[in-house]
Amino acid sequence: MGLVFRLFARPILALQDSEKAHLRSLKMLRILCSNPVTRLPLKLLYKPKKKLQINLFGQEYFHPFGLAAGMDKRAEALVGWETIGLGFIEVGGITQHEQDGNPKPRMFRSSSSRSLINRMGFNNPGSKNMALTLKSHFDKYGKPNVPLWINLGKSKSTALDKSHTDYSTTFERLWEFGDVFVINVSSPNTPNLRELQNDKSLAKIIDACQEINRNLAGKNKSSLKPILVKIAPELNDVQLEMIVKTAMSCNCDGIVATNTTTSRPESNSKSDRQIFGQEGGLSGKPLADKSTDFIKKIYSLTGGKWPIIGVGGIMNSDDAWEKITAGASLVQAYSGFVFEGAGLTKSVVNGLSKKLKQNGLAHISEAVGLTHKGNGE
């Protein structure tokens, strides 16, 4: 099915406005998975038969490959993502207040480099509406059978010194629905957001969320919800070490590396140069090496004892394996689904299963950080 997508569907989608094509694909997935009759064929076609179970954050994952934030901002196709076999689903980013995002056009695609540039600006329904959406979904379909992650952003209208209130309010409103929460202080599309990656501002945000976390966990007699931090790939080594130390000292459960990049690859193509000239964050294949390098650095900084989620440029099982052996316990894709289609999940999971056998490993957790042990090539 991946070949069919590349030969037929991808050229058709390439003729459409990137954001419109994205929304149409999301709508199609939601509609096809809205009833058992059309859902079953998709499940048979796309859901991996291999299981590479891994336990992380006290949760069981069927395999380490999940959906990155940004693909399904409004949690419109939760049943669909589960149907095509993803190991976990991250929705959002969600801000305290509803936002339309930046003016259109705001998403651009380079098929030759397999990359996307977006300046969406956290367009989302806001935390109140998202809580209603998730409650309605849970009432109708039940809780997803895979972990649901929620990406938390900052409203554009909220002053930087009030950011902790924005993040913690959204966290409180969505706490009951999410299995894992990701504090996103690294999107390049909200003015000055990346300034929150300094130690004092970041600690203030995390502490505010952790206070809500403790209160709600106590009230509901349940465990704390895992909280992660998502970082930008533009950090220097000193900044990266500072963020890691700050997040760990505030009892964060892990880190997501990385968000989109403001850097651009070189290109001899006139059309690509026009696309790369657009403002916004770049995701896709050109980000792969940079995000993997960050994973290696974080793994070394933490001695491999702090969970890392790898995202950036995963287009196949080789890319996923590279990030896992660099130190990522779980991996995610966004642009990969745009360029490879729904078959990406099965190809990645099946490919990872083969690589485990080739390396004489019995469990996917044994591959995490393998490169640091002089193996895993």
Side-chain angles (χ1 to χ4, degrees):
M1 288 302 295
L3 179 61
V4 173
F5 176 85
R6 288 191 291 273
L7 291 177
F8 298 103
R10 189 162 68 186
I12 294 172
L13 291 173
L15 297 174
Q16 304 177 39
D17 171 83
S18 294
E19 185 174 354
K20 289 180 179 177
H22 181 139
L23 294 175
R24 288 186 185 114
S25 299
L26 200 60
K27 183 178 181 180
M28 185 179 297
L29 179 63
R30 176 173 56 80
I31 292 173
L32 288 174
C33 293
S34 62
N35 69 83
V37 176
T38 51
R39 189 159 62 236
L40 181 59
L42 287 181
K43 188 174 183 179
L44 293 174
L45 280 171
Y46 295 119
K47 190 168 186 177
K49 293 181 174 59
K50 302 288 185 181
K51 284 191 176 182
L52 305 175
Q53 289 182 313
I54 185 167
N55 190 286
L56 197 67
F57 311 126
Q59 303 158 0
E60 195 69 36
Y61 293 77
F62 295 133
H63 58 76
F65 186 58
L67 183 74
M71 177 63 78
D72 193 353
K73 290 175 176 289
R74 297 174 173 267
E76 296 176 72
L78 295 182
V79 175
W81 302 119
E82 189 176 336
T83 298
I84 64 173
L86 283 155
F88 61 103
I89 306 161
E90 184 174 347
V91 298
I94 308 300
T95 57
Q96 179 181 356
H97 305 295
E98 183 176 2
Q99 297 189 154
D100 292 331
N102 292 322
K104 300 177 183 180
R106 53 193 182 184
M107 182 184 288
F108 309 89
R109 176 179 51 231
S110 167
S111 297
S112 60
S113 67
R114 290 193 290 174
S115 61
L116 296 174
I117 290 175
N118 89 82
R119 50 172 180 264
M120 304 300 287
F122 280 151
N123 57 308
N124 76 100
S127 54
K128 281 185 178 179
N129 290 327
M130 178 56 79
L132 293 174
T133 295
L134 291 174
K135 185 180 186 308
S136 176
H137 179 89
F138 281 32
D139 289 343
K140 184 175 182 180
Y141 296 103
K143 184 178 173 62
N145 291 314
V146 298
L148 177 63
W149 293 27
I150 299 177
N151 187 283
L152 309 176
K154 184 191 81 69
S155 305
K156 187 176 181 179
S157 61
T158 299
L160 282 183
D161 62 352
K162 302 294 183 184
S163 297
H164 63 291
T165 301
D166 198 291
Y167 282 97
S168 60
T169 298
T170 302
F171 179 67
E172 183 174 20
R173 289 172 176 170
L174 302 179
W175 186 90
E176 64 180 292
F177 304 107
D179 296 301
V180 174
F181 289 84
V182 180
I183 295 175
N184 184 349
V185 288
S186 52
S187 170
N189 302 316
T190 295
N192 305 315
L193 183 73
R194 290 188 171 187
E195 291 181 22
L196 297 175
Q197 292 179 117
N198 70 74
D199 54 350
K200 290 183 179 179
S201 296
L202 181 59
K204 195 172 183 180
I205 293 168
I206 298 170
D207 287 343
C209 289
Q210 291 288 22
E211 183 177 359
I212 298 291
N213 204 9
R214 289 189 293 271
N215 291 341
L216 289 178
K219 182 179 178 180
N220 290 275
K221 298 180 180 179
S222 67
S223 57
L224 296 171
K225 298 294 177 81
I227 297 176
L228 317 179
V229 173
K230 188 170 187 176
I231 59 170
E234 274 69 50
L235 299 170
N236 60 41
D237 289 350
V238 174
Q239 292 170 322
L240 177 61
E241 185 173 1
M242 179 272 294
I243 284 179
V244 168
K245 287 182 176 179
T246 298
M248 291 184 76
S249 67
C250 293
N251 297 313
C252 268
D253 297 271
I255 194 164
V256 181
T258 63
N259 212 317
T260 57
T261 180
T262 54
S263 66
R264 300 290 186 265
E266 293 184 6
S267 176
N268 295 319
S269 163
K270 182 178 179 180
S271 61
D272 274 359
R273 285 199 298 272
Q274 290 178 336
I275 293 170
F276 294 153
Q278 296 289 341
E279 292 184 5
L282 180 144
S283 61
K285 194 62 181 175
L287 180 58
D289 290 344
K290 183 174 285 192
S291 65
T292 300
D293 184 51
F294 265 59
I295 292 166
K296 289 178 180 177
K297 289 177 179 178
I298 296 166
Y299 188 91
S300 295
L301 280 171
T302 61
K305 296 178 181 179
W306 201 44
I308 304 166
I309 315 305
V311 57
I314 295 178
M315 301 286 169
N316 51 50
S317 60
D318 289 337
D319 297 330
W321 181 255
E322 188 174 55
K323 281 180 168 46
I324 291 170
T325 56
S329 296
L330 301 174
V331 291
Q332 299 173 294
Y334 171 3
S335 300
F337 286 104
V338 173
F339 295 104
E340 302 300 326
L344 180 64
T345 303
K346 180 182 274 189
S347 68
V348 165
V349 174
N350 289 348
L352 289 176
S353 179
K354 289 180 181 178
K355 289 181 182 297
L356 284 180
K357 293 179 181 178
Q358 291 170 357
N359 285 270
L361 304 176
H363 196 278
I364 191 67
S365 62
E366 297 174 27
V368 177
L370 200 60
T371 300
H372 299 264
K373 303 162 189 173
N375 205 338
E377 299 298 328

